[in-house]
Amino acid sequence: MMKKFLTAALGLAIVGAATLAQAQAPAAAAPATPPQAGFVKSVRGSVQLLDAAGATRNAAPGDALGAVDRIVTGPDSSAAVVLRDNTTLMVGPSSRMDLKEFHFDGTTRDGGMLVSLLRGSMRMITGLIGKTNPDAVRVETQTATIGIRGTDFIVQTDGQP
């Protein structure tokens, strides 16, 4: 009887030690996911989102927008996007716009963004980044890079260099 008791106690001790070692082991590093830059507020017509990995999906209200996503609108289509700093981007028909860079710290209100309008039109109403540090907001077209000084503007390009 004592032998059975010692065998059971030893078995419990081994299981307990293994469980403790597993709990103390560092967790495997999760793959880093790019931070969410904002979300799609509204969609009219055919709007596609292309992420940094090259995956394309149809846009729908509420969809997450990554820090380096592309928005492509079809004819008679448009999309509105709200970024984490409350910048609003309205992308017009037959447009292609890249969010090339977006970073924002809600605590310090420090951040920056670079938007590239490759084709079509876009309206931007700047949020906290544009209000606290206008030099940190840039818009590229095929022929120029625009530094932002105002808080509400429209950019249009035909996509030809």
Side-chain angles (χ1 to χ4, degrees), residues 86-102:
N86 286 328
T87 292
T88 302
L89 302 169
M90 281 81 56
V91 183
S94 300
S95 296
R96 185 186 310 170
M97 186 205 78
D98 285 350
L99 183 58
K100 286 185 148 183
E101 175 188 323
F102 181 85

Side-chain angles (χ1 to χ4, degrees), residues 44-109:
R44 183 174 59 94
S46 172
V47 179
Q48 301 280 314
L49 298 177
L50 178 70
D51 66 21
T56 303
R57 66 189 190 278
N58 289 327
D63 282 354
L65 186 69
V68 289
D69 279 0
R70 173 177 285 177
I71 300 171
V72 180
T73 60
D76 300 321
S77 302
S78 62
V81 174
V82 178
L83 302 179
R84 283 193 349 252
D85 75 322
N86 286 328
T87 292
T88 302
L89 302 169
M90 281 81 56
V91 183
S94 300
S95 296
R96 185 186 310 170
M97 186 205 78
D98 285 350
L99 183 58
K100 286 185 148 183
E101 175 188 323
F102 181 85
H103 59 278
F104 177 68
D105 183 328
T107 305
T108 64
R109 295 186 174 186

Side-chain angles (χ1 to χ4, degrees), residues 4-161:
K4 287 183 183 179
F5 175 75
L6 289 175
T7 303
L10 181 60
L12 285 174
I14 291 171
V15 170
T19 303
L20 180 62
Q22 190 176 30
Q24 291 177 344
T33 58
Q36 181 177 327
F39 68 95
V40 176
K41 183 175 181 180
S42 65
V43 172
R44 183 174 59 94
S46 172
V47 179
Q48 301 280 314
L49 298 177
L50 178 70
D51 66 21
T56 303
R57 66 189 190 278
N58 289 327
D63 282 354
L65 186 69
V68 289
D69 279 0
R70 173 177 285 177
I71 300 171
V72 180
T73 60
D76 300 321
S77 302
S78 62
V81 174
V82 178
L83 302 179
R84 283 193 349 252
D85 75 322
N86 286 328
T87 292
T88 302
L89 302 169
M90 281 81 56
V91 183
S94 300
S95 296
R96 185 186 310 170
M97 186 205 78
D98 285 350
L99 183 58
K100 286 185 148 183
E101 175 188 323
F102 181 85
H103 59 278
F104 177 68
D105 183 328
T107 305
T108 64
R109 295 186 174 186
D110 185 36
M113 75 175 79
L114 173 58
V115 175
S116 180
L117 184 63
L118 303 169
R119 178 181 71 221
S121 61
M122 173 194 74
R123 177 180 179 195
M124 177 187 281
I125 302 170
T126 59
L128 291 173
I129 296 172
K131 288 175 180 42
T132 59
N133 187 7
D135 292 334
V137 179
R138 296 181 324 242
V139 176
E140 287 181 341
T141 66
Q142 294 288 333
T143 56
T145 299
I146 304 165
I148 305 308
R149 293 291 180 249
T151 58
D152 187 348
F153 60 93
I154 297 172
V155 178
Q156 186 169 353
T157 182
D158 63 5
Q160 303 299 319

